[in-house]
Amino acid sequence: MTAHDGMFIDGGWRPARGAGRTEVVNPATEQVIATVPAGTAEDVDDAVRAARAALPGWAATPPARRGELLTALSDALAARHEEIATTITAELGSPIGFARRVQAGLPVAVARSYADLAASHRFEERIGTSTVLHEPAGVVGAITPWNYPLHQVVAKVAPALAAGCTVVLKPAENTPLTARIFAECTAAAGLPAGVFNLVTGLGPEAGQALAEHPGVDLVSFTGSTAVGRRIGAVAGGAVKRVALELGGKSANVILPGADLDRAVRANVADVVRNAGQSCNALTRTLVHTDHYDEAVALAAEAAAEFAPGDPTDPDCRLGPVVSARQRDRVRELIRKGAAEGARVVTGGAEPPEGLDKGYYVRPTVLADVTPGMTVAREEIFGPVLSFLRYGDTDEALRLANDSDYGLSGAVWAADQDEAVAFARRMECGRVDINGGDFNIMAPFGGYKQSGVGRELGVHGLQEYLQTKSLQL
Ligand code: NAP
Ligand code: MG
């Protein structure tokens, strides 16, 4: 058990203003592994002042120089790759192989992509007789969730810094240790004092103080729709810019003629990944009624291959979910699904056998799900797939779009053009065609209640810029 002290403010660790602390629990062992200070509005105020003081200098730093420092940040993250992976396994429960490859590896690449964009982006353009300047939006308040503890941080901080903004970060209560390593990496990279600041603590206290702070120009939030709505209201009231990356209930549409086996296996792997705790997880599977039983049987077979277990084991592919609260929520939603008439084909709400410690959930396939059921509408955030059936392509489209969310989706078809034509009619921000790979340069973000704004690539950079026109 390590008791960490201090907030990272103005280039170094300084004592927290209050005496409150939060505990970090390892979800596989249920042990408290560390405590960190619970930030107050006073800590947030200190951090915002530091970020404001650093803003003019950082905004005036040539973009190519900002790019060099982002390269150094990417290198600093790469140098601590193994420590970041083991930390994420300890505080989130991500299987170590996944933690190395994705949780720790992806942010190195994303930071690097913004180093390149800072150097290459045109921050000035000419429109007729005007010069248009793309200037930094100011001080950014970033509030992040626990499911991808480093990626969610880097997907905000790297574009903000590339744009010339300074940042105050409030990471999730469950995963502050990764955020502390990130803060140390910003110092190792040589970022000027105050350009990046970290305040750990609880959402309703530190997070809310950050969103409300008059010295914050832009709030970028990733997390639940319930909290996102409040943050959007606070930001709107103060006429602040806001970016919201919220939940999803994404549809995986398998059209007749698609490679059913491949489509279903990829779907199960997608939803089991990170114990189902991905906002873009493809949790609603839509299958033509002629292929439905076969698809459900394939899914049950594939899901059974993911036995929950110790995330430090390099062979583990399904670890625990993040917390007891999350486990209870997922199990309750499985029970609710069954109570509303869904058929539990494999898995279920009972604790997995042979694991007497840890917040584990069985990989679960629900069949006979209909559009009105809770499990077809609410984000479950656990390793749970819901199978719905359709009679024709128009019905498939109606079902796919019958959601308050619109984050992502997937289409499988025999023919690429057929899949693309379907994807054009989907109401969501991102669609994978026949298993298309994740692209870190492509915009990520939601339609409808999945959010406002985009992350990653040049679209992510533009969120942190504001434009000024000079008439010559
Ligand atoms: P959450 O409460 O929305 O947390 C996200 C972030 O917001 C955390 O840093 C949180 O701090 C902070 N926060 C909470 N209340 C706040 C407030 N009033 N003002 C400012 N900041 C606040 O999400 P969660 O409780 O961790 O998870 C709940 C559900 O959200 C999940 O079951 C899942 O459905 C969804 N979720 C979505 C994503 C995504 O990537 N879109 C990620 C995680 C969760 P604390 O950590 O202290 O609460
Ligand atoms: Mg919360």
Side-chain angles (χ1 to χ4, degrees):
M1 220 287 293
T2 317
H4 292 287
D5 274 318
M7 302 299 186
F8 188 84
I9 294 175
D10 206 18
W13 295 102
R14 58 158 80 172
R17 294 291 199 115
R21 315 195 63 81
T22 64
E23 292 182 336
V24 184
V25 177
N26 180 321
T29 64
E30 304 186 21
Q31 301 287 313
V32 176
I33 54 172
T35 63
V36 300
T40 62
E42 283 185 291
D43 296 300
V44 168
D45 189 53
D46 291 344
V48 173
R49 280 173 197 278
R52 278 233 84 82
L55 181 64
W58 184 246
T61 301
R65 175 65 188 146
R66 297 200 297 255
E68 285 168 14
L69 289 164
L70 281 164
T71 299
L73 176 60
S74 174
D75 292 346
L77 294 171
R80 295 180 73 174
H81 176 270
E82 183 61 17
E83 184 191 355
I84 290 168
T86 55
T87 301
I88 292 176
T89 295
E91 64 181 353
L92 172 63
S94 255
I96 185 66
F98 183 76
R100 287 188 179 120
R101 212 170 55 253
V102 177
Q103 294 278 19
L106 177 65
V108 172
V110 171
R112 185 60 210 230
S113 76
Y114 280 109
D116 296 343
L117 274 169
S120 65
H121 191 70
R122 289 177 56 207
F123 290 92
E124 255 186 70
E125 62 185 314
R126 193 66 194 246
I127 297 181
T129 55
S130 301
T131 294
V132 177
L133 309 179
H134 299 278
E135 298 188 335
V139 172
V140 172
I143 301 174
T144 54
W146 40 261
N147 58 341
Y148 290 86
L150 186 59
H151 170 70
Q152 306 278 26
V153 167
V154 170
K156 298 189 188 307
V157 177
L161 298 186
C165 296
T166 58
V167 180
V168 177
L169 168 69
K170 203 302 280 181
E173 176 198 358
N174 301 94
T175 55
L177 303 181
T178 308
R180 290 179 59 93
I181 297 176
F182 177 79
E184 288 169 5
C185 290
T186 66
L191 283 172
V195 166
F196 171 80
N197 307 274
L198 169 70
V199 176
T200 53
L202 297 172
E205 185 162 10
Q208 191 154 332
L210 182 58
E212 287 175 350
H213 199 293
V216 168
D217 301 296
L218 184 158
V219 184
S220 179
F221 169 84
T222 298
S224 62
T225 297
V227 175
R229 225 185 277 285
R230 297 185 49 168
I231 290 188
V234 166
V239 198
K240 281 180 196 177
R241 299 264 299 270
V242 66
L244 304 172
E245 209 277 87
L246 310 176
K249 190 75 198 177
S250 300
N252 185 39
V253 183
I254 306 178
L255 294 175
D259 182 338
L260 194 65
D261 187 66
R262 203 172 142 231
V264 171
R265 281 183 188 284
N267 194 176
V268 172
D270 173 85
V271 174
V272 170
R273 178 176 307 134
N274 210 34
Q277 302 163 125
S278 303
C279 43
N280 58 339
L282 300 164
T283 51
R284 288 186 300 142
T285 309
L286 312 188
V287 190
H288 190 275
T289 190
D290 288 350
H291 308 291
Y292 186 84
D293 293 337
E294 191 187 347
V296 168
L298 282 167
E301 190 189 300
E305 287 168 19
F306 291 88
D310 177 5
T312 64
D313 178 348
D315 291 330
C316 174
R317 290 187 299 162
L318 174 56
V321 296
V322 66
S323 62
R325 185 182 138 227
Q326 193 67 17
R327 175 201 56 196
D328 295 346
R329 185 185 134 80
V330 174
R331 287 191 184 162
E332 183 51 37
L333 280 161
I334 296 171
R335 269 193 290 271
K336 199 158 188 180
E340 291 178 6
R343 174 163 53 96
V344 181
V345 183
T346 186
E350 306 74 33
E353 275 156 38
L355 293 164
D356 49 0
K357 273 246 149 35
Y359 309 131
Y360 292 98
V361 178
R362 292 170 183 249
T364 299
V365 174
L366 302 175
D368 304 338
V369 174
T370 53
M373 289 182 189
T374 307
V375 292
R377 309 214 70 84
E378 278 189 27
E379 185 170 49
I380 298 177
F381 240 55
V384 183
L385 293 93
S386 295
F387 275 73
L388 292 88
R389 63 173 90 222
Y390 65 82
D392 59 37
T393 306
D394 284 341
E395 189 185 5
L397 184 71
R398 252 193 336 271
L399 289 174
N401 290 338
D402 180 16
S403 174
D404 294 338
Y405 291 115
L407 189 53
S408 54
V411 186
W412 300 80
D415 173 44
Q416 172 108 338
D417 293 344
E418 184 192 357
V420 169
F422 190 96
R424 286 181 188 278
R425 299 200 287 160
M426 289 174 77
E427 296 165 354
C428 57
R430 197 171 171 113
V431 187
D432 299 339
I433 305 295
N434 281 333
D437 283 336
F438 192 85
N439 174 3
I440 62 162
M441 301 309 287
F444 186 106
Y447 284 23
K448 301 194 274 187
Q449 290 183 24
S450 287
V452 176
R454 293 293 178 269
E455 295 198 311
L456 300 179
V458 69
H459 299 86
L461 177 64
Q462 285 161 352
E463 293 289 326
Y464 297 96
L465 294 168
Q466 58 187 346
T467 52
K468 176 187 285 174
S469 67
L470 309 180
Q471 281 56 248
L472 307 170

